[in-house]
């Protein structure tokens, strides 16, 4: 993994939570200095906050932000893209620049329509980037150089884990890791509620549930074991855990996750038109 980004200036178009998480990671890890980052965001108060906290240049003027940027990161919401990523704005980009997108459900082909002729990297990150524990899938078009790919991997590698994938896998990845934190928070909330019902204080119940999910995920990754093997290690014959798992299976927990993923895929197709 590279220790310094080989770019003089990065521009983010869109200064929301995901943008901030990435900026926090790359500035905090020393990959690039805050003054080498420009952020275009429509709200002046948000710009002021980002400038004060990370030492970046932030402005409501997207043209000023994008000027002379080596790397332009599209970090607006997909529904805002047609308004934000105008031909007039893209005409202000350097000819040698390249594009990285974190916009969910926006394909490489669509990105090429926004930025014709530019190399494009499409990514699917998730919100745990904000605490350095994200999961980001990366796919590149055929104009992306090895150096550009390495830069993309470094940007997201300082915020969590990365995986290089084919674009055909991105929608399924969105349904698993992109939307996955939402599923995890539902599980944490439900477990905490169950703990409160069992007599635990709310704050303790939430901590128990959240740390258990976090620790279980870490154990699965670091051990390299199949989750079924790890489940068997905590499931004694005739014991309490298998009783709990039996109850979950009776309520169709597996089928619920299958349906959740399929629902995301269906909705993603609708959003793509």
């Amino acid at each position: 993994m590279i220790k310094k980004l080989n770019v003089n200036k990065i521009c983010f178009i869109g200064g929301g939570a995901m943008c901030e998480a990435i900026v926090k990671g790359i500035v905090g890890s020393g990959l690039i200095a805050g003054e080498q980052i420009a952020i275009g965001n429509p709200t002046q108060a948000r710009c002021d906050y980002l400038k004060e906290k990370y030492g970046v240049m932030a402005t409501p003027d997207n043209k000023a932000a994008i000027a002379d940027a080596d790397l332009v990161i599209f970090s607006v919401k997909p529904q805002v893209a047609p308004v934000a990523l105008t031909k007039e704005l893209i005409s202000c980009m350097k000819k040698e620049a390249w594009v990285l997108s974190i916009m969910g459900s926006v394909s490489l082909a669509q990105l090429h329509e926004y930025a014709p002729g530019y190399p494009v990297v499409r990514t699917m990150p998730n919100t745990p980037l904000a605490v350095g524990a994200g999961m980001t899938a990366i796919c590149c078009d055929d104009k992306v150089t090895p150096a550009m790919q390495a830069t993309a991997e470094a940007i997201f590698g300082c915020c969590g884990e990365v995986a290089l994938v084919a674009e055909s896998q991105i929608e399924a990845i969105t349904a698993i890791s992109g939307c996955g934190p939402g599923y995890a928070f539902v599980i944490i909330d439900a477990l905490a509620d169950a703990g409160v019902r069992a007599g635990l204080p709310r704050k303790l119940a939430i901590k128990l549930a959240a740390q258990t999910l976090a620790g279980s995920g870490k154990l699965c990754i670091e051990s390299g074991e199949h989750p079924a093997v790890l489940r068997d290690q905590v499931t004694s014959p005739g014991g309490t855990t298998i009783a709990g798992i039996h109850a979950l299976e009776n309520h169709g927990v597996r089928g619920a996750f299958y349906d959740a993923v399929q629902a995301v895929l269906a909705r993603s197709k609708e959003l793509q038109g």
Side-chain angles (χ1 to χ4, degrees):
M1 187 71 72
I2 60 179
K3 295 183 179 180
K4 287 284 185 181
L5 297 185
N6 187 27
V7 293
N8 292 319
K9 178 181 176 181
I10 297 176
C11 169
F12 289 81
I13 301 299
M18 292 298 282
C19 164
E20 183 178 355
I22 297 168
V23 169
K24 178 182 178 182
I26 60 179
V27 172
S29 64
L31 283 176
I32 197 169
E35 56 264 27
Q36 293 175 275
I37 298 172
I39 301 172
N41 189 80
T43 307
Q44 185 63 55
R46 178 66 175 171
C47 290
D48 293 342
Y49 163 81
L50 292 168
K51 282 190 283 188
E52 182 178 348
K53 186 159 187 178
Y54 301 104
V56 302
M57 189 275 272
T59 172
D61 185 348
N62 285 344
K63 292 181 184 178
I66 210 170
D68 298 321
D70 302 296
L71 168 58
V72 178
I73 299 180
F74 293 165
S75 50
V76 295
K77 293 184 183 299
Q79 59 268 33
V80 177
V83 176
L85 306 177
T86 63
K87 291 181 180 179
E88 185 179 9
L89 175 65
I90 300 304
S91 70
C92 298
M93 285 176 60
K94 287 172 60 174
K95 292 182 179 179
E96 303 82 11
W98 55 289
V99 170
L100 187 153
S101 170
I102 64 171
M103 300 188 297
S105 300
V106 180
S107 68
L108 286 175
Q110 291 170 312
L111 291 168
H112 287 142
E113 291 179 6
Y114 286 120
Y118 288 97
V120 173
V121 176
R122 180 185 177 188
T123 69
M124 183 63 247
N126 63 12
T127 55
L129 258 70
V131 291
M135 181 68 235
T136 303
I138 298 173
C139 67
C140 305
D141 72 11
D142 55 9
K143 291 185 178 181
V144 171
T145 67
M148 293 172 184
Q149 179 179 300
T151 296
E153 290 183 73
I155 287 171
F156 292 100
C158 70
C159 306
E161 298 294 323
V162 300
L164 293 172
V165 303
E167 188 177 25
S168 60
Q169 298 174 307
I170 287 284
E171 300 308 323
I173 289 168
T174 300
I176 302 298
S177 66
C179 300
Y183 314 151
F185 296 137
V186 169
I187 294 169
I188 291 168
D189 189 36
L191 272 176
D193 276 350
V196 171
R197 187 175 188 274
L200 295 174
R202 169 71 61 183
K203 188 174 181 179
L204 175 59
I206 292 172
K207 183 175 182 178
L208 290 168
Q211 180 58 35
T212 297
L213 259 70
S216 298
K218 187 174 183 180
L219 177 60
C220 188
I221 291 169
E222 294 189 1
S223 71
E225 295 281 7
H226 191 284
V229 172
L230 297 174
R231 179 203 60 207
D232 286 350
Q233 290 175 1
V234 73
T235 308
S236 303
T240 54
T241 303
I242 193 61
I245 292 173
H246 184 200
L248 290 172
E249 296 287 8
N250 278 344
H251 285 82
V253 65
R254 289 176 183 269
F257 281 112
Y258 296 159
D259 289 349
V261 169
Q262 291 303 311
V264 170
L265 294 174
R267 181 56 179 154
S268 182
K269 286 184 179 180
E270 290 174 3
L271 292 173
Q272 290 175 16

